[in-house]
Amino acid sequence: MRLRINTPASSPSKILQANRQPYRCLSCSLRLAQTQSQTQSQNAAPQATTHFGFQEIPSSTKSSRVSTVFSSVASSYDTMNDLISLGIHRLWKDHFVRSLNPGSKPLPTPSSSSSHPEDQQQPRKHWTMLDIAGGTGDIAFRLLDHATLINNDHDSKVIVSDINPAMLAEGRKRSLSTSYANSPRLEWLEANAETLPSAIEDNSIDLYTVAFGIRNFTHPQKALEEAFRVLKPGGVFACLEFSKVENQLLNAVYKRWSFGAIPIIGQLVAGDRDSYQYLVESIEKFPSQREWRDRIAEVGFLIPRMDLEGEGGWEDLTGGVAAIHKGVKPLNLKE
C-alpha cells in the first residue's frame, strides 16, 4: 500500500511576491547611479594634468599633442620663429652661441704652476655637445661653425636630439648644404629629453643646449635633472627661450602681435592656425625669468651672473621677449 503525502500548493499570490523586484522610481534610480558614479570617482586615483597652451590636459597626452604640432610646422619652422620674434630669433641664436664660445681651449689648471710656458700649455679639449629639441640643426650648425671658424677646432662634435622625427628629417635635409652632412662631428638622435637613452652616459657632455624647446616639454624639471646627469662636472647647461617682457608698453604691443596676428598669419602662410595658437599660448605659460632660474638652481646647478642678493642670473634679450639662462654643474659634488 502506497502512502500519499499531499504538500500544500503555493498560492499564486505568494509566487508573485517571491519574483517581484522592489519597486524603485526613475528619479530614485538616477540618484543611485549618480551616487555610485561619485563614489567610484572619489576612489579612483587623480589623473596628473599639465598645460597645453591654455588648455589643461592629461600629462600622458601632451607629448603626442606637441609632436603633432611640430610635425605640422617642421617645414616652416624658421617662418614660425620669424613670425613670433619678428625675425630677431636669428640674432638671438648667434649671440647665444657666441656667449658659449664652443671649442675654446680650457683655462690653465691650478696644477700648472711651472715657470716654463711649455709646461703650462694644456692640450686642446674637444667638446662633446648635446643640442636638445634641436631637430632642424639651427643651433648645432652654429655651434660647429663657431668652434671651427673662431676657435680653429675641427674635432668637437654635436649630438642633435629631438623627440620628433619630422624635425630631425628637416635637420638632416638642411645639413646637406653644410660641410657636416656626413661628418662624425654631427649625430642625430631621436629621444625624449626627459628620459635620455643610456647611450648618453653620465658625466659625458661638455655643453647642453636647448633653444625654444623646453617650454614644450611635459615635465621640464625632469629634463633639467637629465641635463645635470649627463653633463660633466664643470659642464654648462644653456637655455634660450621666450620669456616675460618687463616694459609694459612693449609687453602690450608684443601680446597684441602674438595673440592677434600670429595665429591668423599661421593660417594664411601654413594653413595651420591651431599650431600657431598653441605656440603663442605656450610662451605665455612658461615661467618668468626668476622662476626659471630658481628651477635650474633647484637641480643643483650653479647660476652665473647672480649676485649675493639673489638678483640676476639670466640675460634678457630685446627687453625680455627672450632670455638666456645658464647653469654650471659643480666640480665637486657632495655624495
Side-chain angles (χ1 to χ4, degrees):
M1 181 175 177
R2 198 179 276 178
L3 293 174
R4 189 172 197 175
I5 301 173
N6 293 324
T7 57
S10 299
S11 67
S13 62
K14 289 183 179 180
I15 294 174
L16 288 173
Q17 287 174 1
N19 294 332
R20 181 180 297 166
Q21 297 297 320
Y23 171 76
R24 184 181 295 129
C25 67
L26 177 60
S27 61
C28 295
S29 299
L30 291 174
R31 282 198 297 271
L32 178 62
Q34 185 177 17
T35 301
Q36 292 173 341
S37 175
Q38 290 174 348
T39 302
Q40 291 173 356
S41 298
Q42 290 171 357
N43 293 335
Q47 188 175 32
T49 62
T50 188
H51 63 83
F52 179 78
F54 289 161
Q55 301 176 49
E56 196 73 15
I57 62 170
S59 296
S60 59
T61 66
K62 181 168 182 177
S63 180
S64 62
R65 294 187 66 172
V66 169
S67 180
T68 300
V69 168
F70 280 90
S71 294
S72 173
V73 303
S75 60
S76 58
Y77 182 72
D78 278 344
T79 302
M80 175 195 75
N81 280 331
D82 283 335
L83 292 173
I84 295 176
S85 71
L86 299 177
I88 307 173
H89 73 100
R90 301 170 192 272
L91 300 177
W92 293 340
K93 291 171 181 175
D94 289 341
H95 174 71
F96 178 59
V97 170
R98 282 197 303 270
S99 74
L100 299 169
N101 198 18
S104 58
K105 293 181 180 180
L107 295 173
T109 61
S111 60
S112 301
S113 56
S114 171
S115 59
H116 299 286
E118 61 269 24
D119 293 337
Q120 296 183 21
Q121 187 174 1
Q122 299 293 308
R124 176 180 292 278
K125 176 186 176 184
H126 304 302
W127 294 28
T128 300
M129 297 171 275
L130 177 62
D131 183 36
I132 292 290
T136 59
D138 242 14
I139 297 297
F141 302 150
R142 283 174 167 85
L143 291 170
L144 291 174
D145 282 345
H146 186 101
T148 304
L149 302 175
I150 304 301
N151 289 318
N152 196 31
D153 170 11
H154 297 268
D155 295 293
S156 288
K157 61 179 283 189
V158 180
I159 303 166
V160 182
S161 175
D162 203 295
I163 198 173
N164 190 295
M167 296 289 281
L168 289 169
E170 184 67 22
R172 286 191 178 97
K173 183 172 72 174
R174 294 183 183 191
S175 73
L176 297 177
S177 62
T178 74
S179 60
Y180 313 116
N182 299 307
S183 166
R185 301 183 65 193
L186 184 63
E187 296 181 15
W188 305 91
L189 175 68
E190 183 179 336
N192 186 334
E194 297 174 15
T195 52
L196 289 170
S198 57
I200 309 295
E201 299 178 349
D202 295 3
N203 307 309
S204 63
I205 302 298
D206 295 290
L207 174 64
Y208 176 117
T209 58
V210 55
F212 304 119
I214 206 163
R215 75 180 188 277
N216 300 301
F217 294 176
T218 305
H219 305 104
Q221 204 70 11
K222 289 184 178 180
L224 289 175
E225 291 167 1
E226 277 291 85
F228 194 85
R229 175 183 70 81
V230 302
L231 279 167
K232 298 175 182 177
V236 175
F237 166 84
C239 172
L240 170 62
E241 188 55 88
F242 289 107
S243 201
K244 307 299 183 190
V245 178
E246 294 293 334
N247 182 278
Q248 292 185 357
L249 178 60
L250 177 59
N251 186 51
V253 172
Y254 182 63
K255 290 283 181 63
R256 181 173 292 275
W257 168 255
S258 295
F259 288 94
I262 291 175
I264 296 174
I265 296 174
Q267 177 65 43
L268 296 174
V269 173
D272 186 359
R273 180 188 180 111
D274 290 345
S275 292
Y276 284 77
Q277 182 71 38
Y278 158 73
L279 290 166
V280 296
E281 290 178 2
S282 69
I283 295 170
E284 187 71 15
K285 295 293 289 184
F286 194 68
S288 69
Q289 289 92 317
R290 182 179 298 275
E291 291 170 329
W292 185 234
R293 178 205 65 189
D294 291 346
R295 291 193 189 183
I296 296 170
E298 285 173 8
V299 176
F301 286 110
L302 303 176
I303 307 298
R305 302 170 64 106
M306 184 169 71
D307 61 28
L308 296 176
E309 285 73 35
E311 297 298 324
W314 67 86
E315 180 184 0
D316 281 336
L317 303 175
T318 316
V321 175
I324 295 173
H325 289 264
K326 296 176 184 176
V328 179
K329 185 171 179 177
L331 289 172
N332 299 313
L333 294 174
K334 295 180 180 179
E335 296 296 332

